[in-house]
Structures are given as structure tokens and as C-alpha cells.
Amino acid sequence: MDNILNKLGLNLDEKTKLADDSIFCFGCHKELSCYNTCCGGLDIFLTPYDILRMKNRLGMTSAEFISKHTEPVIHGESKLPFLKLKLAQTGSCSFVGEEGCSLYDDRPLACRYYPIGFGVYKNDAAQGSDFYFLIKEEHCKGFEEKQEQTVAEWRKKQEIDLYDDKNKVWMDLILNKKMYSPDLEPDEKSLKMFFMGSYEVDSFKSFVFESRFFDVFEVDEELQEQLRSDEEELMIFAHKWLQYALFRMPTMKLRGA
């Protein structure tokens, strides 16, 4: 986290660290000279729920969206594949035009947070604690606006709590300390499994319903029917399956066990 803060020119201390009740001034609208400037030249990492919302908005399958609109990134510590939004050749987001974001209602979590940054401590002393900070870029005029809000009010307005809820199981998975063990050397099968279970909800649905999955795992019929019709529940189920498959967490039950 220190490396990220350094790149942003931030020194995190008690003055710059924000809590839910911290107040800040910020506003964004078309009349600002910097409008849309923040939507380019940056890495926007995508969560599973981001991809689900965006691919459905565009009427695409997960595989189609991932192929056309994302780039894979291997996280150095975990050696697992993550996805970031592919930018246009100009360096700007391909979904942003003069009038703003064409996918605004389904924009990614990273865009919803801006200008708030969010971090989680990974060191044992502060494990499980998180914090917020302001991302103040020189070009941004939004901080000159007089619109006051708390961090909690901003989160509610941007529907961040909804996104955090949908991504919770996956976030618990990728923050598991076992992910960052120097002894972890995922093989090709594990990498494909992680990628499908994280991002490819359509492929995971085929995997579940066109295999012996329900002969192996005990899943009641009511939940099976829900998984057929509710992609969001299917996505969360996939993340629970990953917890079991990668770390044998008790999120799934084998038949006869």
C-alpha cells in the first residue's frame, strides 16, 4: 500500500486518513473545465461485480466483454490474474464521450469511489482494518466546489455499499494471507479455475449445470433454481466455490460427507 500512496504523492497520517464520518468538499459536473479529464491515463481494476454489470449493460457474455474491454494483469505477490479496463488508443476510457460516461449507472467501483481512495492494511498489526484518503489531482477542479458530504454519504450516493456487498466473498478470498505465501505456485489448472470463478459467470454456469457438479456437492433444489435465474447469486456462489477449491474453506458441502 505504501508504494501506491507514494505514486499518488500521499503521506498517510492521522490528518490525511479519513473515516466514514470525515467531511470533504467535492462536486463534479459538465460545467467544470476538467470534466472527463480524470477518465483516462489510469489503471481501473475491475471487480467481478463490475464485469457482471457492464457486460449485461452491453448485452455481451462475460467472455466477450473480457476479450474486448479488459487487459489481464498478474499480481506479483499472488501470481493470480486480475483484470483492468482496456483504454482507447488515446489513453481515455472508451466509454466516455463529451457528455460523460455512457455506462454511468453501471460504472466500475473504482470510478464510484473517486475522489476517495480506499485501502486495507495487510500487516499483522493492523490486519482487517481499512481506511480512506482523498485523491487530489492537479487538474481536478471538483475540490473547489462547495458541496459538503461525509465519506459515508458519498458511499451511499455512489452505491458503493451495494458493490462491496456483492464483492465481499471475493474480496475475502483475494485478501486471504494464503494468497500471498511465497510457497504459492498456482498451476495452469488453478489459474483457469480462479479466472472462471472470479470473472466468467457464463462459463461457470455451464460448468455447474452441464457437469456432475450437483452429484459432487450438496446444493438444495431451491438454491439450484435460484442459481439458474439469478446471475448475481451465481457469481457469489462461484466465489464460495473458489474459497473451497483453493483453501478448503467450509463454504461447500460434499455429498455423503
Side-chain angles (χ1 to χ4, degrees), residues 1 4-5 12 17-18 113 116-122 126 128-133 171 175:
M1 179 55 65
I4 296 175
L5 295 175
L12 188 67
K17 188 168 60 175
L18 305 179
Y113 259 109
I116 298 293
F118 173 74
V120 177
Y121 287 108
K122 289 200 304 183
S129 61
D130 48 52
F131 56 90
Y132 306 99
F133 53 91
M171 289 299 297
L175 291 175

Side-chain angles (χ1 to χ4, degrees), residues 76-133:
E77 293 182 47
S78 70
K79 303 180 181 68
L80 293 172
F82 295 90
L83 293 174
K84 67 177 182 178
L85 193 65
K86 184 187 295 182
L87 300 180
Q89 291 184 344
T90 59
S92 63
C93 176
S94 58
F95 298 115
V96 174
E98 291 184 4
E99 295 301 311
C101 178
S102 62
L103 299 180
Y104 187 78
D105 290 341
D106 298 290
R107 65 199 183 282
L109 179 62
C111 303
R112 292 171 183 270
Y113 259 109
Y114 189 85
I116 298 293
F118 173 74
V120 177
Y121 287 108
K122 289 200 304 183
N123 57 298
D124 291 335
Q127 187 180 8
S129 61
D130 48 52
F131 56 90
Y132 306 99
F133 53 91

Side-chain angles (χ1 to χ4, degrees), residues 87-176:
L87 300 180
Q89 291 184 344
T90 59
S92 63
C93 176
S94 58
F95 298 115
V96 174
E98 291 184 4
E99 295 301 311
C101 178
S102 62
L103 299 180
Y104 187 78
D105 290 341
D106 298 290
R107 65 199 183 282
L109 179 62
C111 303
R112 292 171 183 270
Y113 259 109
Y114 189 85
I116 298 293
F118 173 74
V120 177
Y121 287 108
K122 289 200 304 183
N123 57 298
D124 291 335
Q127 187 180 8
S129 61
D130 48 52
F131 56 90
Y132 306 99
F133 53 91
L134 288 177
I135 302 173
K136 289 192 173 184
E137 300 176 285
E138 290 185 6
H139 63 76
C140 182
K141 305 298 183 184
F143 289 102
E144 298 174 7
E145 299 291 296
K146 304 303 181 183
Q147 184 177 340
E148 282 191 352
Q149 58 257 302
T150 64
V151 171
E153 289 169 340
W154 182 259
R155 286 176 54 89
K156 182 177 180 180
K157 179 181 178 182
Q158 304 299 320
E159 294 187 300
I160 290 171
D161 289 338
L162 169 64
Y163 275 66
D164 281 353
D165 180 61
K166 299 297 182 181
N167 286 315
K168 183 181 184 307
V169 177
W170 187 75
M171 289 299 297
D172 289 344
L173 174 73
I174 66 170
L175 291 175
N176 190 312

Side-chain angles (χ1 to χ4, degrees), residues 51-61 64-65 68-69 85 94-95 102-103 106:
I51 292 173
L52 183 67
R53 291 278 295 254
M54 296 172 79
K55 71 101 175 174
N56 285 340
R57 174 67 175 267
L58 295 169
M60 307 173 85
T61 65
E64 289 170 340
F65 178 85
K68 185 174 182 179
H69 294 295
L85 193 65
S94 58
F95 298 115
S102 62
L103 299 180
D106 298 290

Side-chain angles (χ1 to χ4, degrees), residues 7-38:
K7 288 179 181 179
L8 293 171
L10 297 170
N11 293 311
L12 188 67
D13 55 30
E14 292 306 313
K15 292 182 179 180
T16 56
K17 188 168 60 175
L18 305 179
D20 283 330
D21 59 355
S22 298
I23 298 173
F24 67 101
C25 291
F26 183 80
C28 183
H29 51 82
K30 289 191 292 185
E31 284 68 37
L32 293 177
S33 61
C34 62
Y35 188 61
N36 290 342
T37 306
C38 59

